[in-house]
Amino acid sequence: MATLDLTDDSETFNADEWIGKNHVFSAAQLPLCVLDAHRKAIKLGPEDRSTFIPDHTLPASTFIAIWFPVRSCSILQVKGNEWFTPDPPTHALELLTLHVIPPSQTLDALLEQSGQAWLNGTLSIRDPHFHHGKEHFPLNALRLWRELSQMAEAQAEWKGCLSWLSATAMDGIDEHIKASMDSVDYTDTYFPACVRNSHWVAFHVNFKERSLEYGNSLTGTIYGRAPHAKLPRKWKASADTGEEVPEPPKHAKAERIT
């Protein structure tokens, strides 16, 4: 049996040799030049990214005010032939922002199928649930949909956490937190918050390390560097359910926002 050498990346991709030639898309078997060509076909270029995706350095108070398309919560059966089409794109990505974002599980399934669809000769993608799929978009619309969905999900979490902080923290603290987030000069901020309307705890936010800490006066313990994405959800869950705030492991390390 012949062995395919994947260490040689000097081969140049030739669409006439690969597209529409009944090849099977396999990341483990295809030459790197083919995998790279597929990656480029669904990648958002720098101009599109700057147009549609918010800068990750934006303050949270600015990020939560950005408009995103509505995300669909429907459960859709994904049939690739209903989404992928061999016809060239007819509409630019700008129109895509007027669509409802397909469900996350649908987008994940389509991204997984995109390699084979691309090898089969797919040139565009459509949403069969919007305008009967008459609008055909470039293949990188898949990537744009997925990233907008992730941004909208992150925004919903931020809104929930900030809303809880505003309702829970003592008078004037929410303005203090907002000023800290909006300022480029702050490296840290501290504030108290009331858990279940019965117990005050102190919070510390380290903007430089992007980490959170809180101190429990009942136990005299400081729980440090809890992951930024997990602790706010635990605070909000506690506020919603009335359950005690779960305490993170003392050895938990800070995680950078990527």
Side-chain angles (χ1 to χ4, degrees):
M1 179 182 293
T3 301
L4 181 64
D5 183 7
L6 296 181
T7 62
D8 183 8
D9 60 358
S10 60
E11 186 178 354
T12 301
F13 175 72
N14 185 337
D16 292 335
E17 295 179 1
W18 291 98
I19 302 301
K21 303 300 182 182
N22 297 319
H23 292 290
V24 176
F25 189 88
S26 170
Q29 297 295 326
L30 291 175
L32 294 179
C33 66
V34 178
L35 299 178
D36 188 55
H38 168 250
R39 181 187 62 82
K40 291 177 180 177
I42 65 172
K43 179 182 178 181
L44 280 179
E47 184 175 348
D48 288 333
R49 181 168 295 280
S50 64
T51 300
F52 301 110
I53 306 300
D55 193 306
H56 72 280
T57 63
L58 286 178
S61 55
T62 301
F63 177 66
I64 63 174
I66 295 175
W67 178 86
F68 289 107
V70 176
R71 291 181 298 156
S72 172
C73 297
S74 302
I75 299 177
L76 304 177
Q77 185 175 3
V78 181
K79 297 180 179 179
N81 60 341
E82 294 181 351
W83 293 79
F84 297 110
T85 167
D87 300 323
T90 59
H91 292 74
L93 292 177
E94 283 80 5
L95 187 62
L96 199 72
T97 59
L98 302 179
H99 286 228
V100 172
I101 301 175
S104 297
Q105 65 270 25
T106 298
L107 296 175
D108 290 340
L110 289 172
L111 281 170
E112 186 175 348
Q113 297 175 24
S114 67
Q116 187 61 59
W118 170 76
L119 270 184
N120 291 346
T122 289
L123 295 178
S124 64
I125 189 167
R126 60 187 177 184
D127 183 351
H129 305 281
F130 192 84
H131 288 177
H132 305 288
K134 295 179 180 179
E135 298 157 351
H136 297 180
F137 298 95
L139 283 180
N140 61 356
L142 262 180
R143 186 66 67 188
L144 176 59
W145 261 332
R146 193 68 187 92
E147 295 203 26
L148 287 177
S149 179
Q150 292 171 337
M151 293 291 103
E153 182 179 0
Q155 186 189 67
E157 285 198 12
W158 270 110
K159 285 182 177 179
C161 293
L162 293 177
S163 176
W164 178 82
L165 276 177
S166 297
T168 305
M170 60 191 300
D171 291 343
I173 294 299
D174 53 342
E175 288 83 2
H176 167 70
I177 297 172
K178 183 178 184 302
S180 300
M181 291 190 301
D182 289 343
S183 173
V184 296
D185 299 322
Y186 280 82
T187 58
D188 300 84
T189 191
Y190 298 83
F191 61 90
C194 187
V195 178
R196 298 178 61 188
N197 294 320
S198 62
H199 176 54
W200 287 92
V201 294
F203 288 93
H204 167 226
V205 181
N206 186 316
F207 296 112
K208 185 176 181 180
E209 296 186 7
R210 300 187 179 188
S211 63
L212 302 169
E213 299 172 316
Y214 72 93
N216 189 342
S217 60
L218 290 180
T219 62
T221 305
I222 295 178
Y223 296 92
R225 310 194 185 289
H228 76 276
K230 295 180 180 179
L231 194 53
R233 285 196 288 270
K234 291 180 180 179
W235 299 344
K236 186 174 185 298
S238 174
D240 290 342
T241 64
E243 298 178 357
E244 289 288 345
V245 176
E247 295 175 345
K250 297 179 183 180
H251 61 275
K253 296 182 179 180
E255 294 182 1
R256 292 187 60 81
I257 301 174
T258 57

